[in-house]
Amino acid sequence: MRQAQIRQILFLIVLTVIYLAFELGFNARLLDVVGSRATPHDIEELEFFGRTLSGIAAALVVLQLMWTRRLATGGRPSTLKIAVACVVTALLVFSAIKLLVNVLVDTRDGEFRRIATNAGLLQRSLVQGDLQLDGLVDDDDVYARPEGKAFLAVFQVLLSNIDNLDEKVEPKKRQVIRTDLQRQMKTFTFDGREVRMTAPGIRGYHQVYTSVMGSVAERWKKYAGVPVASDIGLAREQDRAWGDYRRSLSRRGWTPDNVPARYKGRVVQDVRKRIPVPGDWQPHDRATFNEAVAQQYWRTMRSRTVHVEGDAIPPGLAYEDFVARPGVQKLLRQALMVPATMNVAPNYTDVAGFKRLYEGMLDRAVDEALPRFSASSADFGRGGLHDKLGEDAARAAIVPPVALLCSLLGAVGHFAKLLYLIAKLVVWLRTPAGQQPGRTATRAAGLALVLTLACVWTAFSFMQNGVTRSELFQQMSRVEGGSQDESIGQALRRRVLANVAHVVVVGQAYTYPFNEAVRTRVLGGIKYGYHGDAG
């Protein structure tokens, strides 16, 4: 019995240490995500790994309980039943957390989604250093440090405590949106194909401009009758003309390769009525036939009027004049997303000229985005104009705190369990063979563990750092008190949230370096689905 207990405890200690390594690594990566420009895909990946680890954590608890029972009853339940129970528990917890997140997202009202949408914009600007919050630490690198990342993790939860938030943000909203758009890599559309920026800012936009103008140049070549080897219309015309020629021969039972010599002259004359082949052309010579079709095709292209966006463009225009036509300009403005009053040049020889085009695109993008961030709560509600935007913002606001809470509960709980198992192992090792440790020793070990955790939480609650001492954090957490008409429940909720936020911001400053070292050095730099920068 004694040896079996010791082996079981040792095995549980090993499993708990392995789980804690992955949980601590996830905790560090979670802070990296909230301290970055995370995309909806990043949030989805983060949520998956968080649910998986929570399921494993619950399964380990079930394993320990059932294994302890098995040891006490002499072999029951069976190993198969224990394995099935652990798998079912992991799946249930995985599904339950997914359901919880979906319910939290789906039940958020339009006001929450509106605040989350604007809060996400503010958070991205804070991360990039484009926005400074009055009353916070006067340090540009604060969000690259653990306490700053932890502050961002609880930022959207505490944001609702700021009085008159809309009035304070409104004067800076346009500039914040503009700066946020400058860092995005937008996708443009021209001629039915997508052109994506490969770099943010003016450099990426210039790549898009070059690609779009290349397509315009191809259009002009086709319009001007400049031969283009890859022209699809020409290839179709050549195939159609050759097919008609073969069908006319087949009515006489001939093919291009077996036209009788005495009829070749007549065949050539018939073909020349439609296609300008040379007089000495041979009926089987398709290459020369295709060249003649191409000459006729490009001659037709040069002589016809082209319509672009309702503008009838006469033949014979040079490339620069073609680009200057109203229809082409309208097409370019739509593709490059610039205002209707701005003209697009066929090329820009100076940086200032292209910068004006880029600034025009930003002005239009801001004008289009601003109404979304200033929309009413009803527009962000279910079925509203910005339903999808509000849903994504709500998920981005809810998932990191929920994942952080589950991660902390799992890590703290299993760290407590690890300490308990170690204490229990020591008790068993000190117990003479053939005897069992008394209940008093086991309970004392558990009580000492609870007291240790309570002392650590209390210590973090009273400890301070630059973020928690800041005037802004005090206002957001409202530790000094709420409004006079605040109910007891609201006051209790506010104090609990303030305490949790305080402990998270203080505690992560100490635990993040260790957690990140575990992730990078022990776990080989596992990404947990997020491949962005850690800063």
Side-chain angles (χ1 to χ4, degrees):
M1 178 70 175
R2 179 174 180 272
Q3 293 299 320
Q5 278 281 5
I6 292 175
R7 284 196 300 271
Q8 175 182 298
I9 293 172
L10 286 173
F11 187 69
L12 288 172
I13 287 175
V14 171
L15 288 180
T16 304
V17 169
I18 293 174
Y19 160 78
L20 280 175
F22 283 94
E23 186 65 76
L24 295 179
F26 175 76
N27 184 271
R29 202 58 176 162
L30 175 60
L31 289 192
D32 293 339
V33 171
V34 298
S36 68
R37 294 177 60 89
T39 65
H41 176 73
D42 295 329
I43 298 297
E44 184 179 344
E45 291 291 315
L46 177 78
E47 187 182 351
F48 173 80
F49 279 96
R51 294 199 308 265
T52 301
L53 286 170
S54 296
I56 293 173
L60 288 177
V61 173
V62 172
L63 174 64
Q64 181 174 345
L65 293 175
M66 297 188 72
W67 219 349
T68 301
R69 180 185 174 190
R70 180 183 181 185
L71 199 62
T73 58
R76 291 181 301 170
S78 66
T79 303
L80 178 61
K81 288 183 178 180
I82 294 176
V84 170
C86 290
V87 171
V88 170
T89 300
L91 292 175
L92 284 176
V93 172
F94 181 93
S95 302
I97 295 178
K98 182 178 181 179
L99 178 63
L100 171 64
V101 171
N102 289 338
V103 169
L104 287 175
V105 172
D106 292 340
T107 55
R108 297 307 91 184
D109 59 11
E111 178 65 11
F112 180 92
R113 294 183 174 196
R114 185 188 68 81
I115 293 176
T117 300
N118 285 273
L121 175 67
L122 295 179
Q123 184 169 331
R124 292 193 298 272
S125 299
L126 289 173
V127 170
Q128 298 295 342
D130 302 325
L131 180 68
Q132 299 295 328
L133 291 179
D134 296 334
L136 196 62
V137 183
D138 188 16
D139 185 353
D140 294 339
D141 297 327
V142 62
Y143 302 114
R145 297 201 301 270
E147 60 268 31
K149 293 181 178 183
F151 171 73
L152 290 174
V154 298
F155 175 75
Q156 297 201 36
V157 176
L158 299 176
L159 196 62
S160 58
N161 287 338
I162 296 182
D163 296 323
N164 303 318
L165 176 63
D166 289 335
E167 290 79 359
K168 293 178 179 179
V169 172
E170 193 63 35
K172 299 181 179 180
K173 185 176 289 186
R174 185 177 182 86
Q175 182 57 41
V176 169
I177 294 174
R178 186 183 187 85
T179 315
D180 185 59
L181 291 171
Q182 283 180 299
R183 297 185 182 277
Q184 294 181 13
M185 291 190 289
K186 296 170 65 64
T187 299
F188 300 78
T189 304
F190 186 78
D191 270 351
R193 65 183 180 90
E194 290 188 345
V195 184
R196 181 171 173 78
M197 294 173 65
T198 57
I202 192 170
R203 184 163 61 92
Y205 188 65
H206 188 268
Q207 293 171 344
V208 172
Y209 166 81
T210 302
S211 177
V212 169
M213 295 311 295
S215 297
V216 172
E218 291 297 319
R219 277 198 175 197
W220 174 80
K221 289 179 181 178
K222 186 174 181 179
Y223 151 84
V226 178
V228 178
S230 59
D231 187 271
I232 297 176
L234 172 59
R236 290 201 192 101
E237 182 64 20
Q238 289 170 332
D239 290 339
R240 185 197 62 77
W242 186 256
D244 291 344
Y245 167 59
R246 288 181 62 91
R247 281 190 293 275
S248 68
L249 292 180
S250 65
R251 286 194 289 269
R252 301 181 182 182
W254 301 335
T255 67
D257 295 319
N258 65 4
V259 175
R262 65 178 180 275
Y263 293 108
K264 283 185 179 181
R266 184 185 300 177
V267 168
V268 171
Q269 289 178 0
D270 289 340
V271 171
R272 283 171 61 85
K273 294 176 182 177
R274 303 182 305 277
I275 307 297
V277 295
D280 58 351
W281 174 71
Q282 297 298 315
H284 65 274
D285 185 1
R286 181 167 184 180
T288 304
F289 181 91
N290 282 345
E291 290 178 7
V293 173
Q295 292 175 12
Q296 187 179 54
Y297 176 83
W298 293 120
R299 189 164 50 249
T300 303
M301 295 298 294
R302 283 192 293 268
S303 63
R304 71 171 186 164
T305 298
V306 175
H307 291 81
V308 178
E309 295 293 322
D311 177 28
I313 303 178
L317 294 183
Y319 174 65
E320 290 76 9
D321 296 328
F322 178 82
V323 172
R325 292 292 303 186
V328 178
Q329 283 293 309
K330 181 179 178 181
L331 192 66
L332 287 173
R333 283 192 288 265
Q334 292 173 350
L336 296 172
M337 300 182 184
V338 296
T341 56
M342 180 170 284
N343 288 328
V344 180
N347 58 71
Y348 289 90
T349 56
D350 62 317
V351 177
F354 186 76
K355 187 176 181 181
R356 283 193 295 272
L357 183 73
Y358 175 66
E359 294 291 337
M361 182 275 293
L362 283 178
D363 288 338
R364 175 176 168 178
V366 172
D367 290 339
E368 292 175 352
L370 192 58
R372 294 199 299 269
F373 291 98
S374 301
S376 65
S377 300
D379 290 330
F380 289 97
R382 298 189 66 83
L385 182 62
H386 304 307
D387 180 12
K388 185 63 170 63
L389 176 64
E391 181 182 347
D392 290 342
R395 186 171 296 276
I398 290 172
V399 168
V402 170
L404 183 61
L405 176 62
C406 293
S407 176
L408 290 175
L409 289 176
V412 171
H414 279 271
F415 183 71
K417 187 187 77 171
L418 177 63
L419 295 180
Y420 175 77
L421 289 172
I422 293 174
K424 189 175 180 181
L425 177 64
V426 172
V427 171
W428 272 99
L429 291 175
R430 292 173 61 87
T431 301
Q435 299 182 19
Q436 292 189 13
R439 290 181 176 270
T440 303
T442 305
R443 289 174 179 173
L447 180 60
L449 171 63
V450 173
L451 290 175
T452 300
L453 293 176
C455 289
V456 171
W457 187 277
T458 303
F460 281 160
S461 297
F462 285 94
M463 294 171 65
Q464 300 282 351
N465 58 31
V467 172
T468 58
R469 279 194 297 266
S470 67
E471 178 185 346
L472 177 66
F473 186 85
Q474 297 291 324
Q475 180 185 359
M476 293 182 73
S477 58
R478 286 195 177 182
V479 295
E480 300 299 331
S483 59
Q484 294 181 351
D485 59 348
E486 184 179 52
S487 67
I488 296 177
Q490 290 173 330
L492 179 61
R493 174 181 172 274
R494 172 178 52 78
R495 290 185 179 276
V496 169
L497 283 177
N499 179 251
V500 171
H502 185 100
V503 170
V504 167
V505 173
V506 171
Q508 290 290 353
Y510 294 97
T511 59
Y512 176 85
F514 176 78
N515 296 347
E516 180 66 5
V518 170
R519 186 185 74 85
T520 55
R521 299 179 184 178
V522 178
L523 301 179
I526 183 173
K527 301 292 186 180
Y528 294 97
Y530 173 65
H531 299 277
D533 296 329

